[in-house]
Amino acid sequence: MIGVALPGLVISTEQGQLTGLGLEGFYRAGRRLLSRCRLRVAGREPLPSQARMAGADRARFVGTLRTSSAPGPDPDVMVERTRDADGTERITLHSWAPRPLRLPVEVALGTDLADLGTIAAGRAGPDLPASVHDAGLRWSCAAAGASVTAVPPPADALASAGLLRWEFVLPPGGSTSVELRVRPDGGGPLRSVGRTAAGPLASAHATGDDPAVTALLRTSIEDLRALMLRDPAHPADVHLAAGVPWRCGLAPGEALVAARMALPLGTRLAEGTLRTLARTQRRGPGPRAGMVPGPGRDTGPHLPPGCTGTEATLLFPVLLAEARRWGLGDDETQELMPAAERCLTWLRGAVGDGTYVHDPHPDGPVRCETQAHAHRAALLGAELLDAFGRPGGDGLREWARWLRAEFRRDFWIDDPAGGRPAAARSPDGRLVPYLSATAAHLLDTGLLGGGAAAPGLLDPVQTGQLARLLGKPAMNSGWGLRGLAASEAGYNPFGHRAGAVRVPETAIAVAGLATAGHEKEAGSLLRGVLAAAGAFGHRLPEMYAGEQRTDASTPLPHPAACRPAATAAAAGVLLLTTLVGIRPDAPGGTVTLRPVRSAPLGELGLTGLRIAGAPFSVRVGRLGMAMVEEAADGLQLGA
């Protein structure tokens, strides 16, 4: 159970006690400030009764005790613990005994002050010795220090045992509370970006025939807010961490993907992400000038690791172009145009006199999804250049037309079953024929002016065949889209890119299939991932096992998955807004609706979205007809 309010984090088991085992504890900025917090009341540990997340940042635990000598099994004390990622824990005792109860309370505390990477690798050391500090205890090592203070102050504080003690007298029906506050040395109360009233995401709501939509959108927004970070040197700029607990920092490609999926909640997150990444962009001469740097990424058993910097560089102008369609102002767009132009200049340089964008390392393959990213960047980037009077748009469109023609011939594998797109071309021109979720990126073509979907790399017949392949059981596990088809060599249902269901790619597939008119396949994938969300308390992890769904099964968690994860949380927003088919063009003063006519979830209402800086609400009926209920003044419904 993970509570997040970055840079704060708390990890617990459903037992409620923090035992110091595994990853348990309170963290701030990647360091464990407290690993042990064991409660005893009247000499006994409460019997766990219930554990649940009360929000993205908070867990609530309820236990019971039987303290009286009355016959029967009924408990007479309830113990409630609320544990918050900001570093506080509130312990409340409720007495239901018929007479006053004298209850001694002990809390055993300890920590190793280890960093998360050391803990994950199993190298954390023993608990450090404590000292009495103010109304609590303190620990220190060469790298850090932390303290726990209590309100009310304890009657006794024993440094040698790491114990705080109180003695309370509760009248019949009475209650009392203790609050523990965990802080790093020199650190005050946590100020989480996502908790501020002026946060960058709108408080949208979903209602409908399927009650899961309400919980999914609420949880997705809570998790996105919990994962927000500020650029320390530029505190006005907010971006998303990749995920918890393993990747609490900035991952450029994933931050851009998540910000793009979250555009229906406003453009401020996109703006902050773009501004932050523009400052990291490579400058000067050389083949990498203009790139947004990013780490390598495993791409499964059939290809070498890929470069997330390439993906981020191609996503940058796409996010800027689409953020402008959703309402990012011309002044803000103009400020980011030089960085977008550098990305597009890098793209033309990477293509050179050829057709395709190769991997940046020597002898790298030509990846299918990279061409999809590059084609989308060229078309949307060309519109940006035209809109701001910059040269180069016609050249990008001409190259995109050439790429479409060549790709449809060079990357399509004909076979008796109707064919498939190749995953890549090797340096010697051989096709890599396996089918994976990366093919879904071919359906993500981008949004042009007037609410038009950009053309894709595949022709309509090839798109239809890809839709059929993604809808078959080899790819559709019943819980979402597998990373690698179950029929392929190297398939592993737990494989990070070799068979596990990856939520972001599933959402991209749903959106792309719906845009292309393949609603049956889109609806099937959508219902599967929505059912999986229910099994995960509507907090979708970035991935889970690709085991085939049966009537009696539930999705299997992946032990290394981040949960929450930025792209998975944002995928919840994309999945629901896809059903409405919102295609805004704020500069043109229009919004076009292309709802999924089959209405796979029945009636759906979305309120509190944002277009052109104003609230936008829309409802889709059971017959697939959409109606705008709230919009900015002057925003016209497009044809």
Side-chain angles (χ1 to χ4, degrees):
M1 300 179 66
I2 300 177
V4 191
L6 292 181
L9 172 68
V10 62
I11 303 176
S12 316
T13 72
E14 292 185 345
Q15 299 303 307
Q17 302 278 35
L18 292 181
T19 65
L21 301 176
L23 293 172
E24 292 179 49
F26 283 92
Y27 295 79
R28 190 180 292 193
R31 184 170 298 278
R32 181 157 65 182
L33 304 182
L34 188 70
S35 58
R36 214 164 31 86
C37 183
R38 301 196 71 146
L39 171 69
R40 293 171 67 89
V41 179
R44 286 174 289 172
E45 294 192 3
L47 180 68
S49 177
Q50 184 188 75
R52 65 179 182 88
M53 297 301 299
D57 54 358
R58 187 177 300 109
R60 178 177 180 266
F61 307 91
V62 176
T64 59
L65 285 167
R66 184 173 178 275
T67 63
S68 71
S69 57
D74 298 341
D76 51 15
V77 174
M78 185 175 80
V79 181
E80 181 181 11
R81 303 174 73 171
T82 304
R83 188 169 293 150
D84 197 298
D86 69 1
T88 61
E89 175 161 342
R90 189 172 183 84
I91 302 167
T92 303
L93 309 178
H94 304 275
S95 171
W96 310 119
R99 67 181 193 286
L101 286 181
R102 185 175 298 276
L103 294 177
V105 174
E106 293 183 347
V107 178
L109 304 169
T111 188
D112 48 20
L113 291 178
D115 65 79
L116 184 58
T118 300
I119 298 164
R123 298 195 303 269
D127 277 1
L128 297 168
S131 60
V132 176
H133 175 76
D134 291 338
L137 299 174
R138 181 180 179 273
W139 302 263
S140 63
C141 65
S147 63
V148 174
T149 55
V151 178
D156 293 301
L158 304 179
S160 58
L163 274 180
L164 302 181
R165 290 176 174 169
W166 298 260
E167 187 163 304
F168 298 107
V169 177
L170 270 63
S175 301
T176 192
S177 295
V178 170
E179 184 170 278
L180 305 176
R181 299 170 182 172
V182 185
R183 300 285 187 267
D185 279 1
L190 182 69
R191 292 178 174 85
S192 172
V193 177
R195 286 184 170 184
T196 61
L201 296 182
S203 297
H205 301 277
T207 58
D209 290 340
D210 189 332
V213 301
T214 302
L216 178 62
L217 186 58
R218 182 187 66 246
T219 305
S220 295
I221 295 173
E222 286 179 354
D223 284 345
L224 289 171
R225 288 173 171 164
L227 290 169
M228 285 181 185
L229 294 172
R230 293 189 189 278
D231 185 329
H234 302 270
D237 294 338
V238 176
H239 60 272
L240 292 169
V244 170
W246 314 112
R247 304 168 65 213
C248 293
L250 174 64
E254 291 171 50
L256 289 164
V257 168
R260 184 177 174 225
M261 290 178 173
L263 280 172
L265 303 176
T267 60
R268 288 179 54 204
L269 175 61
E271 181 186 356
T273 303
L274 290 167
R275 288 163 60 92
T276 298
L277 292 178
R279 291 189 283 270
T280 73
Q281 196 173 33
R282 296 182 188 275
R283 308 295 178 90
R288 298 195 176 213
M291 285 193 75
V292 177
R297 172 192 288 155
D298 174 56
T299 55
H302 299 285
L303 287 171
C307 174
T308 62
T310 299
E311 179 184 358
T313 305
L314 297 173
L315 273 168
F316 191 102
V318 169
L319 177 58
L320 181 59
E322 291 191 337
R324 181 170 174 263
R325 296 291 168 208
W326 282 90
L328 184 65
D330 281 352
D331 290 344
E332 292 80 7
T333 307
Q334 182 80 44
E335 182 184 354
L336 289 160
M337 279 299 297
E341 286 183 282
R342 288 191 289 270
C343 292
L344 296 170
T345 300
W346 173 85
L347 168 59
R348 293 309 308 266
V351 173
D353 295 329
T355 304
Y356 300 115
V357 178
H358 292 252
D359 270 18
H361 55 78
D363 301 322
V366 179
R367 299 177 192 267
C368 167
E369 69 273 20
T370 301
Q371 312 320 306
H373 297 323
H375 180 259
R376 183 180 60 212
L379 292 178
L380 274 64
E383 281 209 341
L384 268 181
L385 295 175
D386 292 350
F388 289 88
R390 312 291 180 94
D394 289 341
L396 286 169
R397 276 186 285 266
E398 181 59 33
W399 171 74
R401 282 193 291 270
W402 175 252
L403 176 62
R404 285 198 296 276
E406 296 293 296
F407 185 92
R408 291 170 184 180
R409 184 188 68 243
D410 292 347
F411 269 79
W412 192 259
I413 302 170
D414 288 313
D415 60 38
R420 64 168 64 183
R425 288 174 64 90
S426 63
D428 61 7
R430 289 182 297 106
L431 295 180
V432 181
Y434 72 90
L435 181 64
S436 76
T438 57
H441 292 282
L442 293 170
L443 302 170
D444 181 12
T445 61
L447 180 65
L448 298 177
L457 285 177
L458 301 180
D459 64 33
V461 173
Q462 292 170 334
T463 299
Q465 173 62 6
L466 176 58
R468 286 188 287 275
L469 291 171
L470 297 182
K472 288 184 176 180
M475 284 297 294
N476 183 355
S477 72
W479 301 115
L481 194 67
R482 290 187 175 96
L484 181 68
S487 55
E488 300 287 357
Y491 167 75
N492 173 1
F494 286 96
H496 187 194
R497 302 272 173 180
V501 171
R502 294 191 55 80
V503 171
E505 277 85 355
T506 301
I508 288 169
V510 169
L513 289 165
T515 298
H518 298 282
E519 295 189 0
K520 177 183 175 183
E521 292 82 1
S524 177
L525 286 170
L526 170 67
R527 288 188 292 269
V529 76
L530 202 65
F536 289 110
H538 304 287
R539 172 183 268 184
L540 282 163
E542 61 176 327
M543 60 182 170
Y544 43 88
E547 288 281 284
Q548 191 65 39
R549 181 180 180 180
T550 66
D551 290 342
S553 67
T554 57
L556 294 172
H558 192 293
C562 285
R563 180 172 173 262
T567 53
V573 179
L574 178 61
L575 287 167
L576 296 182
T577 53
T578 290
L579 293 174
V580 182
I582 307 170
R583 300 184 188 179
D585 185 2
T590 65
V591 59
T592 303
L593 301 179
R594 293 285 185 270
V596 176
R597 297 293 184 178
S598 57
L601 301 181
E603 183 172 323
L604 172 67
L606 298 175
T607 60
L609 305 177
R610 297 194 77 80
I611 298 179
F616 183 82
S617 301
V618 62
R619 183 168 300 277
V620 177
R622 298 180 185 93
L623 299 179
M625 301 294 291
M627 180 176 67
V628 174
E629 298 181 332
E630 183 182 24
D633 291 341
L635 191 66
Q636 300 296 315
L637 190 61

